C-alpha cells in the first residue's frame, strides 16, 4: 500500500495483539484436564501480532517511494476484503465445522489470495498444516480443539 496506510495498520495490529495478550490472561490456564490451557493460543497469537506489526512499522519507515497510482491502490483492497470475509467465516464456522476443515479452507483461500501459483501445493500445505497442528495439539500436548462435525461420522 503506502507508508501512511502501513503505519496506521501496524499500530492497529499492535493494539489488537496487545488486546489478545491482555484478554488471554482472563482465560483459565487449564480446562477439561488439558495440559495446555485455552489461554496459550490467544497469548501466542497476540505476541506474534505485536512482533509482526513492529516489523511492518519498521519496514514502512524504510520505504522511499510515495503512494502507488490510484488504480493500483484500489486493486489491493479486493484481497484485503476477501481475507477479512474469510477470517470472519473462519471464526463463525470453527465450532460447527471443526478445526481441521475450517483451517484447511481458510488456508486455501489465503494462499490463493496471496497469489499461490500451484493449487496442488496449496492443497497439500493447507491439509498438512491443519492436520499436523490438530494432531500435535490434541494428541501430543493433550489440548482440546473442535473436532470433526458429527454429521461426518468421525
Amino acid at each position: 500500500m503506502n507508508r501512511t496506510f502501513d503505519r496506521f495498520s501496524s499500530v492497529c495490529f499492535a493494539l489488537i495483539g496487545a488486546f489478545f495478550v491482555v484478554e488471554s490472561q482472563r482465560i483459565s490456564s487449564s480446562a477439561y484436564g488439558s495440559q495446555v490451557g485455552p489461554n496459550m493460543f490467544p497469548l501466542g497469537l497476540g505476541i506474534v501480532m505485536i512482533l509482526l506489526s513492529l516489523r511492518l512499522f519498521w519496514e514502512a519507515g524504510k520505504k522511499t517511494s510515495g503512494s502507488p497510482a490510484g488504480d493500483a491502490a484500489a486493486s489491493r483492497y479486493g484481497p484485503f476484503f476477501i481475507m477479512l470475509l474469510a477470517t470472519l467465516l473462519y471464526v463463525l464456522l470453527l465450532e460447527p465445522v471443526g478445526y481441521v476443515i475450517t483451517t484447511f479452507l481458510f488456508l486455501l483461500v489465503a494462499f490463493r489470495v496471496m497469489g499461490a501459483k500451484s493449487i496442488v501445493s496449496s492443497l497439500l500445505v493447507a491439509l498438512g498444516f491443519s492436520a499436523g497442528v490438530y494432531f500435535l495439539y490434541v494428541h501430543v500436548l493433550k489440548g482440546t480443539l473442535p473436532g470433526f462435525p458429527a454429521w461426518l461420522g468421525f
Side-chain angles (χ1 to χ4, degrees):
M1 299 282 170
N2 60 33
R3 183 185 300 195
T4 306
F5 180 80
D6 286 347
R7 284 191 173 185
F8 175 75
S9 62
S10 70
V11 170
C12 289
F13 288 134
L15 291 174
I16 292 170
F19 176 74
F20 276 27
V21 169
V22 169
E23 290 299 316
S24 71
Q25 301 305 311
R26 293 184 185 205
I27 300 173
S28 65
S29 60
S30 67
Y32 312 115
S34 173
Q35 294 176 0
V36 177
N39 64 340
M40 292 305 292
F41 272 158
L43 178 65
L45 180 63
I47 291 170
V48 168
M49 284 183 73
I50 291 170
L51 293 174
L52 289 175
S53 64
L54 290 173
R55 167 103 191 255
L56 178 61
F57 193 82
W58 174 261
E59 293 292 327
K62 290 179 13 179
K63 283 185 183 177
T64 58
S65 63
S67 65
D71 291 338
S75 69
R76 293 182 182 159
Y77 287 113
F80 171 76
F81 287 116
I82 291 171
M83 286 304 300
L84 181 65
L85 178 66
T87 304
L88 291 174
L89 286 173
Y90 180 76
V91 169
L92 293 174
L93 296 176
L94 185 62
E95 283 290 327
V97 178
Y99 174 81
V100 175
I101 295 171
T102 310
T103 303
F104 170 74
L105 294 173
F106 175 77
L107 288 175
L108 269 181
V109 170
F111 292 155
R112 299 306 292 169
V113 167
M114 290 188 298
K117 304 260 188 277
S118 170
I119 188 71
V120 174
S121 66
S122 297
L123 285 167
L124 292 174
V125 170
L127 181 62
F129 180 82
S130 59
V133 168
Y134 183 82
F135 175 78
L136 285 174
Y137 190 75
V138 172
H139 296 289
V140 175
L141 297 174
K142 305 295 184 211
T144 56
L145 285 173
F148 291 97
W151 49 268
L152 282 179
F154 288 112

